[in-house]
Amino acid sequence: MSLQSVDPRTGTPFGDVIPETTSDELDQIATAASAAAGAWSLTTGAKRATALRAVADRLDARSGELVEIADRETGLGSMRLAGEVGRSTFQLRMFADLVESGGHLGVTIDHAVPGAPPTGHPDLRRMNVALGPVAVFAASNFPFAFGVPGGDAASALAAGCPVVVKAHPSHPRTSIVAGEVFGDALSAAGAPVGTFAVVHGMEAGRELVLTPAIRAAAFTGSGAGGRALFDLASNRPVPIPFYGELGSVNPVVVTPEGAPDGSLFASAYVDSLTMGTGQFCTNPGLLLVPSGSGLTERITVEASRREPGVLLNAGIVGHLHDEVARLAALPGVRTLLAAPGPTTGGYRAGPVILATDGTAAMAQPELLRTECFGPAAVIVEYASEEELLAVLGLLDGCLVATVHGDEVEPLSATLISTLSGIAGRVLWNDWPTGVAVTAGQHHGGPFPATTNSLHTSVGTAAVLRFLRPVAFQSVPGALLPTALQD
């Protein structure tokens, strides 16, 4: 099997054919990662930080080349992609600062207390240690920020874990070059051989999850693909953690007082909906508005003014059209704006607006639970606060939920509480397409948004996915890890 780059603007393959990673090659990579695990986990925080910063510096130095390759493979635009490289290098330096400070270790020193339990206890010292080699599945829609040099790889390396990235087939050439930059920089900084590698192909990805040397996996992608890999990881003879980010409908709720200027709101909503041609896991695909507010009509007019945008691959085009057609055929659903049919010579889609009322939505919960990956919105017009809360009670777990309201409305507090029960991030009078990379961030949510809502894939806390706590009891000081010594 082999892969080839495709220009999504034209649908034309280009460049050399890229072979998929064979089973023998994967075995060699996994063996090298396993051999590197001990040495990499025992490097000091300062040395690991130096290596991460070296990778960031080299990515910055070759940003222009990487952006040019990625733009041809993804059609995402040079400005967007340059920003992604910057985000990737920011993340690497952020994790470098974290490990240099030792903040990821979670050190607790509990000196012995004489006497019988429970008051008395032996000397106990606890810290986090690296899990071992980690498999990272790169995303299609963020070739840098969630790709080969993305946050999953950066956080796993910061934790002290070797990383094997399974490249996404939508941008194989980008992945190869980014992987070379990443690996060369780590090697030059003194990282052990086997600390970082990139593999290609669907079967290689499946085998990677099943490889005994792999101790955890991180995934960003479709619900079906993520669930299949999650099941493999869970059913191994020795199961491993699988941190899957699987997408979400990301509801936006407008209260009766929540959109005083309907035209401005409509424009801002459509901006968020169509950003990146809707190819964001935080895309606001479900909008709940008061009946009679006029927002549905204004949004439809605004969306009709937007030109079709480029999608990443033929699979996304087909899935979007299939899901929209299925939802549009349900009773009570009105198609207010239909996407133009498939175009020849490229993968494109324009905005889609479907609308229904609260009664129809409650009768067919799939309207509330289906992610149409792309610039497609389902608008639910609710007749009362009671109906709104009943509709929200049918939602699945999601990555992010938003309230546009007035602070003095009693409903606003109820909505914040309700949505925090189903979402990993709750916004107030803002838009979800944009995830800040910072210590306070949580990018996750209850299933099916993710396979583990306790952890984030963005921000400094992402490193905790690849660490486990170990307690040392009554161990002599000279034998303790350095971080636990007095």
Side-chain angles (χ1 to χ4, degrees):
M1 299 289 290
S2 58
L3 305 166
Q4 193 168 19
S5 301
V6 176
D7 186 335
R9 296 183 177 99
T10 64
T12 305
F14 68 91
D16 297 334
V17 172
I18 299 165
E20 296 190 4
T21 304
T22 66
S23 295
D24 288 344
E25 290 169 334
L26 184 61
D27 286 343
Q28 294 171 14
I29 289 169
T31 298
S34 184
W40 182 242
S41 69
L42 293 175
T43 55
T44 65
K47 289 183 178 178
R48 213 178 300 160
T50 297
L52 293 173
R53 292 184 184 118
V55 175
D57 291 345
R58 195 165 297 199
L59 286 168
D60 279 338
R62 295 184 63 179
S63 176
E65 174 191 356
L66 290 166
V67 165
E68 183 178 356
I69 297 169
D71 185 36
R72 189 172 182 193
E73 284 191 312
T74 67
L76 291 173
S78 57
M79 183 177 296
R80 149 78 188 272
L81 291 166
E84 262 200 62
V85 175
R87 172 172 166 162
S88 297
T89 58
F90 176 86
Q91 290 175 149
L92 285 159
R93 294 185 178 104
M94 176 187 72
F95 285 117
D97 292 342
L98 177 69
V99 298
E100 194 168 48
S101 73
H104 65 301
L105 296 176
V107 168
T108 300
I109 297 179
D110 196 357
H111 292 289
V113 174
T119 304
H121 61 76
D123 185 275
L124 283 162
R125 304 180 183 218
R126 171 175 152 150
M127 66 177 290
N128 296 327
V129 301
L131 287 179
V134 169
V136 169
F137 287 78
S140 64
N141 55 337
F142 283 91
F144 298 118
F146 285 89
V148 168
D152 287 335
S155 56
L157 287 166
C161 301
V163 169
V164 181
V165 181
K166 189 272 180 184
H168 197 279
S170 288
H171 34 76
R173 181 61 54 189
T174 304
S175 300
I176 287 174
V177 178
E180 290 172 349
V181 172
F182 211 118
D184 290 348
L186 283 174
S187 296
V193 174
T195 301
F196 185 83
V198 178
V199 300
H200 297 265
M202 183 177 295
E203 186 58 29
R206 180 182 179 279
E207 291 181 16
L208 184 61
V209 169
L210 296 174
T211 299
I214 296 298
R215 303 302 174 87
F219 172 92
T220 300
S222 70
R227 182 55 195 257
L229 292 171
F230 171 72
D231 290 343
L232 287 176
S234 301
N235 292 320
R236 286 176 27 148
V238 179
I240 59 172
F242 184 89
Y243 302 109
E245 194 260 271
L246 312 181
S248 172
V249 298
N250 306 311
V252 175
V253 181
V254 183
T255 72
E257 303 297 327
D261 190 321
S263 297
L264 286 176
F265 178 90
S267 178
Y269 175 72
V270 175
D271 285 345
S272 184
L273 179 74
T274 59
M275 184 182 295
T277 320
Q279 297 171 109
F280 286 79
C281 55
T282 53
N283 201 47
L286 177 64
L287 177 65
L288 300 102
V289 302
S291 297
S293 65
L295 290 175
T296 301
E297 293 76 15
R298 289 180 175 181
I299 288 168
T300 302
V301 170
E302 182 64 34
S304 69
R305 298 170 177 160
R306 307 300 175 94
E307 294 294 324
V310 178
L311 294 173
L312 289 159
N313 56 57
I316 291 176
V317 175
H319 184 266
L320 175 62
H321 280 280
D322 290 348
E323 291 289 45
V324 166
R326 184 173 64 84
L327 296 183
L330 294 174
V333 177
R334 313 185 311 273
T335 300
L336 302 182
L337 183 64
T343 58
T344 58
Y347 313 133
R348 298 180 186 275
V352 177
I353 306 294
L354 306 179
T356 189
D357 57 35
T359 300
M362 287 188 287
Q364 298 156 127
E366 61 192 297
L367 280 167
L368 309 170
R369 300 170 180 168
T370 301
E371 180 191 23
C372 297
F373 191 71
V378 173
I379 301 178
V380 177
E381 299 170 325
Y382 63 87
S384 65
E385 292 183 10
E386 292 75 20
E387 184 174 83
L388 169 62
L389 294 174
V391 168
L392 293 178
L394 297 174
L395 294 183
D396 284 333
C398 53
L399 293 170
V400 57
T402 302
V403 178
H404 280 265
D406 190 302
E407 186 176 349
V408 301
E409 286 181 281
L411 177 60
S412 295
T414 301
L415 289 173
I416 294 295
S417 175
T418 299
L419 294 174
S420 67
I422 62 169
R425 180 166 57 110
V426 179
L427 279 68
W428 175 258
N429 288 346
D430 205 344
W431 299 105
T433 39
V435 184
V437 181
T438 181
Q441 187 58 266
H442 186 83
H443 188 57
F447 187 84
T450 70
T451 57
N452 191 321
S453 63
L454 303 181
H455 293 280
T456 178
S457 61
V458 178
T460 51
V463 74
L464 298 176
R465 296 174 296 171
F466 310 116
L467 296 165
R468 66 180 180 87
V470 176
F472 296 83
Q473 180 171 325
S474 302
V475 175
L479 302 181
L480 286 168
T482 302
L484 294 181
Q485 295 177 8
D486 288 332

